[in-house]
Amino acid sequence: MTKRTRVRFAPSPTGGLHLGGVRTVLYNYLFAKSQGGDFVLRIEDTDQTRFVQGAEEYIFNCLKWAGLEPDESPLKEGPYGPYRQSERKAIYRSYAEQLIKDGFAYYAFDTTEELEKMRTDFKTESNPSPQYDHTVRMKMRNSLTLSDAEVQELLKNGTKHVIRILLTPSETVSFTDMIRGEVQFDTSVVDDKVLLKADGMPTYHLAVVVDDYLMKITHAFRGEEWLSSAPVHILLWKYLGWEKDMPQWAHLPLILGPNGKLSKRDGAKYGFPVFAMNWTDAKTGELTEGFKEKGFLPEAFINLLALLGWNDGTEQELFTKEELIQKFSMDRVHSGGAKFDYEKAKWFNHEWIKSKDAKSLMPDIKSILTNKGINITNEGFLEKVIHLVKDRCTLLSDFYEQCHFFFKAPETIDTASILPKWNESRRNFFKELISAYGKLDPWNAGSAENLLKQMAAASQIKPGDLMMPFRIMLVGGKFGPGVFEIAEILGQRETIARMEKTLALLP
Ligand code: GLU
C-alpha cells in the first residue's frame, strides 16, 4: 500500500514571513493537494530565546490570506498533535536518551566558560571558529571522557547538561534530493550538534526529525538554507532506526533580489514588499511592508510565487490555484535561484484584477475606500464603478485614485489646464451642452457622446478640444477612465451639476 502523502511547513515563529517562506508553503500545499494528501503546519518554537510576540499569529493570518490553509495545525488539531513543538517537550527526551544508549549521542556537561575556552584554545589560522566535533570532543567534559560513575553522579545532582550527537568522521552521508538529485556530505565537516538543550527542550535538529517521523511526513520541502543541516537529520533518521520511513527531501532554491539573495533591505531600498503581510518588529518598531497591504490579490500573489522557480513547461503564466494544483510537479522546480522582479509581480496583479469580476473585488475596494473616508451607501453603484476602472488598476490601492471622484465631487478643479484654450465660444458651447444634456433621454455614455459630437460639429469645434475641459469638469483633473462612461455612471443630474460648478469658476 502506498503511503498517504503528508507534507509540512515548519516555521519558527521569529518574525514576518518573506516571499521565500510563503513559496515554501505554496509548494508544500500544491504538492499535497496534487497528491490528495495532507498539508501540516507545525510551529517550531523550541528556541525560547528567539520567541517573538505575535509571530505565530502572523503566520496563521498569512496562510489564511493566501488561501493556503493547512489541514492540521495548532488551530486545527489532527491525529498527530500537538502541532506546537513547545507543547511536545516531553516527547523528545526519550529519543535523545535512546540515542545515547545506542552509542549515537552523549551527555556533555561543559559550562559556557569551558566552551568559550575551547573556542579560544583550539583556534588556529586555518580553523578560526573551532566547533565541538571529533577533533575536540575527547578533550571536553562529557560522557565519552568521564567515567560512568561520574556521569551518573552529575546527572543525579541535576548538573546542567546537553545531549550531543556523536558523529563518526570521514563517513559519507548521501541522499537524493527531489530537486538537486544526489547530494553528498562528508561527516568530518559536521560538528556534534546539540540535540537536547540544558532547559530540556530539543534543538531544531532533534525535534524536526522526531516530529517528521511521528507525524508521518512523507516529503519534506524547505529552503536551500537548510541543506547544510540535512546530513545531521539523515543520520538521526538512521540512528533512530527509522531510515525506511525517512521523507523524501527537496531543498528549494533561493529567491534572488537585485543583489543576490532577496532581503528585507532590498525591499526597503527599492520600495517593494518582501513579506506576505505587513510586519512590525516589536523591539525596533521597524515596519516591513507586505504584499497584502501593498494591494496585491492573494490569487496574484500565489500565482507569481508559483512561477518563482517553477513552470509547467509551456509559456503559460497565469494560473488559478486549482490549475496549479493540477499542474504542479516537483520535477519542474528549478535548482537555480529564481529572480524576483517587482515589475513582473505587479503585472501578475494587474492581470488578476482585470480578470476578476467587479463583484468579487467589491469587499476589498469597499474597505479601501471606507478607510479613505468614503462612505459607500449604494453597492450597485460601487460595482459599476469598479467594473469601469478595474482595468486601469495595477494594485488594489490604485482604486482610490481611479474612482474617488465618483463618490465625492472634486474639491479642487484644475481650471488652469482649461484656461489657455478657453474663450467665448467654448463657454457658449458648454452652456448649450448643459441645457441639451438636461433634456437627453435616455442618459448613457453613447447618447451623451453622440450629442456632444453633433453639437461640436454644428459649432465647428473639434470634439477632441472639448474632451479635456469636459473631463476636468467631471473629475477635477486630467485623469480617469472614458469621460462619457464617467458621465453615465455619475448620472444626468450630477454631470450637469459638476459642469455648472466649473463653468462658474471660469471667466
Ligand atoms: N524550523 C525551520 C524553519 O524555521 C524548519 C526547517 C525545515 O523545514 O526543516 O524554517
Side-chain angles (χ1 to χ4, degrees):
M1 205 181 77
T2 46
K3 279 198 260 175
R4 181 177 176 82
T5 297
R6 289 178 54 81
V7 302
R8 84 304 193 271
F9 176 56
S12 299
T14 54
L17 263 190
H18 58 79
L19 277 181
V22 195
R23 191 193 54 179
T24 302
V25 176
L26 178 64
Y27 286 7
N28 271 293
Y29 179 95
L30 295 176
F31 184 77
K33 299 295 147 187
S34 70
Q35 307 274 311
D38 306 318
F39 168 49
V40 177
L41 170 67
R42 181 176 69 227
I43 298 292
E44 303 210 323
D45 57 349
T46 57
D47 188 350
Q48 291 173 340
T49 59
R50 293 175 69 214
F51 174 81
V52 175
Q53 187 77 41
E56 187 182 300
E57 210 188 345
Y58 173 95
I59 292 166
F60 300 149
N61 290 340
C62 278
L63 269 52
K64 186 165 181 194
W65 171 67
L68 304 173
E69 289 192 87
D71 301 300
E72 295 163 33
S73 78
L75 298 183
K76 195 175 172 200
E77 288 284 323
Y80 304 98
Y83 292 87
R84 204 179 268 117
Q85 285 182 332
S86 58
E87 292 167 14
R88 301 170 64 80
K89 183 174 173 187
I91 296 176
Y92 307 104
R93 178 171 276 274
S94 65
Y95 293 103
E97 268 159 8
Q98 183 63 43
L99 287 167
I100 298 184
K101 234 187 269 150
D102 295 340
F104 298 121
Y106 57 93
Y107 296 109
F109 299 94
D110 317 274
T111 60
T112 318
E113 293 71 36
E114 285 164 338
L115 291 170
E116 204 46 58
K117 186 167 176 329
M118 176 274 279
R119 284 188 208 105
T120 26
D121 288 359
F122 296 103
K123 192 168 164 173
T124 61
E125 208 157 298
S126 60
N127 187 12
S129 42
Q131 310 200 71
Y132 204 118
D133 61 10
H134 63 101
T135 61
V136 310
R137 66 165 80 104
M138 296 314 285
K139 298 170 187 133
M140 304 299 289
R141 237 156 41 83
N142 52 47
S143 56
L144 305 171
T145 57
L146 301 169
S147 71
D148 268 359
E150 282 171 307
V151 171
Q152 289 317 318
E153 187 63 21
L154 286 168
L155 291 177
K156 205 173 81 208
N157 295 340
T159 313
K160 274 203 157 182
H161 64 275
V162 300
I163 295 178
R164 288 182 181 271
I165 189 170
L166 177 58
L167 285 187
T168 317
S170 310
E171 270 186 7
T172 304
V173 180
S174 67
F175 71 97
T176 309
D177 186 282
M178 291 170 78
I179 299 172
R180 281 146 224 275
E182 184 78 1
V183 184
Q184 290 196 340
F185 296 90
D186 180 345
T187 51
S188 307
V189 299
V190 188
D191 59 324
D192 290 355
K193 295 257 184 282
V194 172
L195 301 177
L196 201 78
K197 293 180 282 188
D199 63 2
M201 274 288 193
T203 57
Y204 156 65
H205 302 294
L206 178 65
V208 79
V209 171
V210 169
D211 286 346
D212 282 350
Y213 172 73
L214 294 177
M215 295 183 177
K216 297 201 164 28
I217 298 303
T218 56
H219 298 79
F221 307 156
R222 56 188 180 186
E224 186 176 283
E225 65 274 26
W226 299 102
L227 189 58
S228 60
S229 300
V232 177
H233 301 166
I234 285 160
L235 287 172
L236 282 173
W237 278 92
K238 192 167 134 191
Y239 293 166
L240 286 161
W242 300 333
E243 213 175 357
K244 71 173 197 354
D245 291 315
M246 188 167 79
Q248 272 184 272
W249 302 96
H251 291 86
L252 307 174
L254 291 178
I255 295 184
L256 303 172
N259 327 291
K261 186 180 173 197
L262 181 69
S263 69
K264 227 164 60 172
R265 219 167 313 138
D266 290 328
K269 183 163 169 198
Y270 300 101
F272 55 68
V274 293
F275 278 13
M277 288 170 30
N278 278 0
W279 168 257
T280 308
D281 186 301
K283 276 196 209 113
T284 61
E286 182 202 3
L287 169 85
T288 308
E289 272 203 306
F291 279 83
K292 175 176 184 264
E293 291 80 359
K294 192 81 185 175
F296 277 78
L297 284 168
E299 293 92 333
F301 184 55
I302 63 168
N303 188 164
L304 72 92
L305 276 183
L307 279 268
L308 275 174
W310 171 88
N311 65 49
D312 74 341
T314 72
E315 298 287 296
Q316 185 175 344
E317 292 186 288
L318 297 172
F319 294 90
T320 62
K321 189 166 86 179
E322 287 62 39
E323 280 176 291
L324 288 172
I325 292 173
Q326 232 174 52
K327 299 192 170 164
F328 185 78
S329 76
M330 285 302 283
D331 41 276
R332 294 210 60 87
V333 175
H334 323 306
S335 58
K339 185 134 183 154
F340 172 68
D341 172 354
Y342 187 49
E343 292 310 311
K344 185 76 192 193
K346 286 195 292 189
W347 175 85
F348 277 104
N349 206 51
H350 187 203
E351 292 302 314
W352 267 97
I353 289 180
K354 285 198 296 192
S355 74
K356 288 196 79 166
D357 62 17
K359 215 187 189 90
S360 63
L361 291 166
M362 195 124 86
D364 281 328
I365 308 306
K366 192 172 170 180
S367 93
I368 288 172
L369 297 179
T370 311
N371 283 339
K372 291 268 198 180
I374 292 176
N375 187 18
I376 306 291
T377 49
N378 181 343
E379 293 209 339
F381 181 74
L382 174 63
E383 192 178 334
K384 274 195 217 155
V385 170
I386 294 175
H387 182 74
L388 179 63
V389 303
K390 71 188 177 71
D391 288 9
R392 313 170 67 85
C393 298
T394 299
L395 299 172
L396 292 175
S397 44
D398 295 339
F399 272 89
Y400 175 76
E401 189 57 39
Q402 290 295 336
C403 76
H404 61 92
F405 48 82
F406 284 107
F407 305 92
K408 272 198 283 192
E411 272 157 26
T412 54
I413 295 173
D414 179 16
T415 45
S417 294
I418 305 180
L419 281 173
K421 289 192 170 173
W422 193 245
N423 55 33
E424 193 62 30
S425 98
R426 295 282 153 93
R427 184 176 186 85
N428 289 335
F429 178 86
F430 277 105
K431 271 174 109 175
E432 282 163 26
L433 185 63
I434 287 172
S435 82
Y437 270 176
K439 293 178 223 119
L440 183 61
D441 183 30
W443 175 262
N444 57 45
S447 64
E449 179 169 6
N450 284 339
L451 183 58
L452 182 141
K453 285 188 173 158
Q454 275 165 23
M455 290 175 59
S459 319
Q460 292 182 333
I461 307 178
K462 276 191 274 163
D465 288 346
L466 300 164
M467 294 313 174
M468 194 258 278
F470 187 34
R471 170 180 295 284
I472 292 176
M473 289 174 188
L474 299 193
V475 308
K478 293 188 259 183
F479 51 80
V483 68
F484 297 106
E485 275 82 26
I486 297 176
E488 173 177 328
I489 294 182
L490 281 177
Q492 199 160 11
R493 251 205 316 182
E494 181 65 15
T495 300
I496 291 170
R498 291 190 186 186
M499 292 171 80
E500 280 171 339
K501 188 174 161 201
T502 310
L503 271 191
L505 299 171
L506 290 164

